[in-house]
Amino acid sequence: MSDKNEEENLKKLVALKSYLEKRVHGLEEEISELRTFLEVVDDAVSAKSFRRAEVAPALKYKQTIPLKSKAGVKLADMHVGDNAARIVIVEDLSFDVNTPPLQSYLVNRVLTSMKSQDVEAVKRGEMDPDKTFSYDIICDGDVVKEILIKNYGNDERLREVKSKTRWTLEKMYEKTRSGS
């Protein structure tokens, strides 16, 4: 009788092994599909966040502020006008649009957050939709040329855009100089 029990247990183990193998294979295929979907979403986010080089709108700027690294290296000029700013990267610098922390920090955490705050204010009826914060990253190929800011709102928010952009560009500069 014990041989019969062992044989039944062996059949159950073989069936369980077969089930587990099929399940693992199915999950691996699902993970592969999810990674593909994630790539598509990432590409869509990048396409919405970044534009290729275009002629910037002719806005009148009343002030130009150089953005420099702590070591004094000029990274960009920030041209400030009535509720708009244009940050022009120094021509000698070739910052790749994919170099951190541009997307992960400046776009996703700073600029998108400002835009979201304004969208929420519009929903609450506290702000005119035409006055919401917006931005465009202007690229030539994968090289960032300009960052356009519209409807920054107030001086405090403009200072925040300036300081966080300066910090981001400095980190990108350090990465391009260190080769990482």
Side-chain angles (χ1 to χ4, degrees), residues 106-128:
L106 186 64
V107 172
N108 291 345
R109 291 180 61 195
V110 178
L111 302 178
T112 301
S113 173
M114 289 179 178
K115 184 175 181 126
S116 296
Q117 290 169 4
D118 284 5
V119 167
E120 288 303 314
V122 168
K123 287 180 184 174
R124 292 189 305 268
E126 300 169 357
M127 179 183 275
D128 183 339

Side-chain angles (χ1 to χ4, degrees), residues 64-69 72-79 86-96 138 140 143-147 165-166 169-170 172-173 176-177:
T64 298
I65 305 163
L67 301 183
K68 295 182 179 181
S69 71
V73 176
K74 185 174 178 182
L75 304 168
D77 280 318
M78 181 172 181
H79 306 284
R86 180 177 173 217
I87 301 161
V88 180
I89 310 299
V90 171
E91 272 191 48
D92 297 354
L93 302 177
S94 292
F95 292 141
D96 188 292
I138 308 299
D140 183 4
V143 177
V144 179
K145 293 297 185 183
E146 298 181 20
I147 302 170
T165 300
R166 190 210 61 77
L169 294 177
E170 181 171 33
M172 292 174 74
Y173 177 77
T176 60
R177 293 300 166 240

Side-chain angles (χ1 to χ4, degrees), residues 16-28:
L16 179 61
K17 181 180 187 268
S18 175
Y19 166 78
L20 290 174
E21 286 173 340
K22 287 177 186 172
R23 186 84 172 108
V24 166
H25 180 71
L27 290 173
E28 286 172 343

Side-chain angles (χ1 to χ4, degrees), residues 14-54:
V14 169
L16 179 61
K17 181 180 187 268
S18 175
Y19 166 78
L20 290 174
E21 286 173 340
K22 287 177 186 172
R23 186 84 172 108
V24 166
H25 180 71
L27 290 173
E28 286 172 343
E29 285 181 351
E30 185 177 351
I31 288 171
S32 177
E33 287 177 10
L34 290 172
R35 284 195 173 114
T36 301
F37 294 150
L38 187 56
E39 284 179 29
V40 170
V41 170
D42 283 346
D43 290 345
V45 167
S46 291
K48 298 276 184 202
S49 297
F50 301 106
R51 290 191 351 214
R52 299 298 168 216
E54 300 172 3

